[in-house]
Amino acid sequence: MTILAHHTDTLTRDALAVLQPGFEGTTAPSWLLRHIGEGLSSVGLFGRNITAPEQLAALTAQLRREREDLLVAIDEEGGDVTRLEVRGGSSFPGNLALGAVDDTDLTRGVARELGRRLAECGVNFNWAPSADVNSNPDNPVIGVRSFGSDTGLTARHTAAYVQGLQSAGVAACTKHFPGHGDTNVDSHHALPRIDVDLDTLQARELVPFRAAIEAGTKAVMSAHILVPALDPTRPATLSPQILTGLLRKELGYEGLIVTDGMEMNAIAGTYGIERGSVLAIAAGADAICVGGGLADEATVLRLRDALVAAVREGTLPEERLADAAERVRALAGWTFRARPDARREGSRASGIGLEAARRALAVTGTPSPVAAPYVATLAPVANIAVGDETPWGVAEELAALVPGTASGVYAEGSGAEDVLAAAGERTVVAVVRDAHRHPWMTGALDALVAARPDTVVVEMGLPRAEPRGALYIATHGAARVCGRAAAEVVAGVR
């Protein structure tokens, strides 16, 4: 092999190593297996790739026949954002519920059990937890994914989550640096901007990330947000001041830096994914997450070739690409060494998710058993980060506890009169999600409670509105176990 050919091969392998692509299907396509053999070191999994734990274990085994230390990543926050249980709802409450309980041992235990289940299926890298302080209650993308609006609480639970997850041999990826909690725009659709001063950032947004770094988080995910106090021109994912200056130098972080999904419109619609990926690596990122939407070989080749071309053109230092690739391989090595410990651990807390969901409930009013209720789910448009394929609510769980339960789902444009017509004489259980963000939902609730004072209200999002109804239950999340915990209260079984 000539020196030039060897150099080209090294560049290509490094460019592949920094990519974390997704793919379609529940088995690995041939093109993906080929690129793993050529140097691809990470793969991202999404709900479309998973049907059952056994299938997922077979898929990860298939991938690892090409590279035994492959990083297999997933966006498994628990709670509202689940890929492992995308078709039935999560067995674990999300961050807001854990923050509501405020027991760091519980948070650590939930994360450990979640990590154990991931490791059992061959997943060794989790794009979680969210360390965002939910300082803006109208935030359209964080909400219940945050531990809360209190900085200290968020910091201590972020650290506990990182410790629990990594004790199971699964690398944590703390997100979304430098903090996505004070935005009012979803970065899936546009570029959010946080206009706060540096002192506020240091005292609020950065505190949980400092805690995660001290806890040993193996990865940090950047946010596609513009923070003028840190960099007035480039979003965090593309900013040397934020990724290298702040995260690496000031905070002293040495682990892997991963981008949020590069096909999100905050980057794709402003810089394009090829230029955006080059700028991200140059800024200090080590891995490019792509595949939530773009999940084909053409995307992998486009990004690989863009990185190689940037090195040859001198716009991306070769040593920066090599350093990024080495950080990816180093994390892959850690997960490979940690994997046997996760296998030996075994399940010690299979019911911890439901226990946590029960403890997270906030109940206003005096519970009493409801016979044959009518469950009216007032459903908002799904948050894109959560997806619309994961079921939520209390109807199914309540039907399993109370014979004769009936139910209906109502979208914007529906009103109390529609619910009352369907309910007849039954007691109405109105189930909502972030009612404070949807005037139509608030209006329907007010009318229902006025017409039927015995209405039960279950809020499965951020509980910002005043409690209403004869019984008001805030679950602090819409995981399946949160629905189960609320149903138990309505049914009078606890």
Side-chain angles (χ1 to χ4, degrees):
M1 179 182 292
T2 66
I3 294 176
L4 179 61
H6 177 74
H7 182 249
T8 299
D9 185 59
T10 299
L11 277 181
T12 300
R13 292 186 70 83
D14 285 349
L16 281 172
V18 303
L19 303 181
Q20 291 190 349
F23 60 94
E24 299 285 347
T26 55
T27 58
S30 58
W31 64 262
L32 182 65
L33 298 175
R34 183 174 67 255
H35 289 309
I36 293 172
E38 294 170 351
L40 190 68
S41 300
S42 309
V43 171
L45 300 182
F46 297 86
R48 62 177 180 252
N49 303 122
I50 301 167
T51 59
E54 298 77 16
Q55 169 271 327
L56 177 56
L59 170 58
T60 58
Q62 179 192 19
L63 292 167
R64 289 211 169 84
R65 283 194 286 271
E66 300 297 325
R67 183 187 182 103
E68 62 182 1
D69 67 345
L70 184 73
L71 284 174
V72 179
I74 199 169
D75 195 4
E76 182 58 52
E77 300 176 16
D80 291 29
V81 181
T82 179
R83 310 299 178 228
L84 195 60
E85 299 180 277
V86 66
R87 288 166 178 78
S90 181
S91 300
F92 303 93
N95 285 3
L96 188 66
L98 295 172
V101 178
D102 195 13
D103 178 346
T104 52
D105 287 339
L106 179 67
T107 295
R108 192 176 294 108
V110 166
R112 182 184 301 114
E113 176 62 12
L114 178 58
R116 187 197 66 77
R117 294 192 193 184
L118 289 173
E120 205 170 52
C121 295
V123 176
N124 57 8
F125 187 22
N126 192 8
W127 294 318
S130 168
D132 308 296
V133 179
N134 197 51
S135 53
N136 184 347
D138 292 323
N139 192 314
V141 70
I142 301 300
V144 297
R145 300 168 65 197
S146 167
F147 288 109
S149 59
D150 180 86
T151 299
L153 179 146
T154 302
R156 61 180 174 267
H157 286 276
T158 295
Y161 197 105
V162 167
Q163 292 163 348
L165 191 64
Q166 292 184 170
S167 72
V170 175
C173 182
T174 306
K175 60 188 183 185
H176 306 79
F177 187 82
H180 211 309
D182 194 21
T183 60
N184 58 11
V185 172
D186 187 340
S187 50
H188 290 87
H189 302 301
L191 179 62
R193 177 185 177 107
I194 295 183
D195 285 306
V196 297
D197 58 39
L198 190 57
D199 288 344
T200 300
L201 288 168
Q202 291 284 2
R204 189 178 66 188
E205 270 73 19
L206 297 182
V207 174
F209 289 97
R210 290 182 186 274
I213 292 168
E214 290 175 7
T217 186
K218 294 296 180 181
V220 169
M221 177 177 282
S222 67
H224 303 331
I225 57 175
L226 189 67
V227 188
L230 298 173
D231 186 333
T233 59
R234 287 188 178 176
T237 294
L238 312 183
S239 171
Q241 292 98 309
I242 294 174
L243 297 189
T244 299
L246 176 59
L247 184 53
R248 288 280 187 225
K249 295 181 179 178
E250 183 177 333
L251 300 187
Y253 177 64
E254 294 294 335
L256 191 76
I257 300 176
V258 186
T259 73
D260 208 342
M262 295 301 284
E263 68 269 48
M264 293 163 63
N265 210 43
I267 299 296
T270 52
Y271 293 86
I273 63 167
E274 293 97 332
R275 181 170 176 242
S277 295
V278 170
L279 290 173
I281 298 295
D286 305 305
I288 301 296
C289 177
V290 65
L294 300 173
D296 54 19
E297 183 180 19
T299 299
V300 173
L301 295 177
R302 284 165 58 196
L303 297 184
R304 180 200 68 183
D305 293 348
L307 291 166
V308 170
V311 170
R312 289 175 174 164
E313 293 163 2
T315 55
L316 174 62
E318 184 175 353
E319 58 271 21
R320 171 76 276 269
L321 179 61
D323 173 64
E326 184 52 39
R327 288 181 189 274
V328 174
R329 296 177 188 125
L331 180 57
W334 178 86
T335 60
F336 183 72
R337 293 188 298 274
R339 190 170 46 165
D341 293 336
R343 287 200 199 103
R344 283 198 299 268
E345 174 139 345
S347 178
R348 299 175 185 168
S350 58
I352 194 170
L354 182 55
E355 173 198 342
R358 287 168 174 163
R359 291 178 62 185
L361 294 181
V363 180
T364 303
T366 303
S368 60
V370 177
Y374 182 79
V375 180
T377 303
L378 309 183
V381 175
N383 179 323
I384 192 170
V386 175
D388 59 7
E389 68 269 44
T390 305
W392 66 280
V394 304
E396 184 176 341
E397 299 292 340
L398 191 54
L401 297 173
V402 181
T405 297
S407 62
V409 178
Y410 301 85
E412 185 171 4
S414 302
E417 63 278 7
D418 301 300
V419 174
L420 293 171
E425 297 302 314
R426 297 168 179 266
T427 298
V428 175
V429 178
V431 185
V432 296
R433 202 171 183 178
D434 294 328
H436 71 283
R437 298 188 62 239
H438 306 283
W440 72 271
M441 199 180 290
T442 302
L445 279 182
D446 288 341
L448 279 171
V449 171
R452 295 282 187 84
D454 63 343
T455 296
V456 175
V457 177
V458 181
E459 169 61 82
M460 303 194 74
L462 201 64
R464 294 285 298 179
E466 287 296 317
R468 66 195 75 193
L471 182 66
Y472 178 89
I473 304 170
T475 63
H476 301 96
R480 175 175 52 81
V481 287
C482 295
R484 171 71 186 192
E488 290 174 347
V489 174
V490 176
V493 299
R494 62 178 300 269

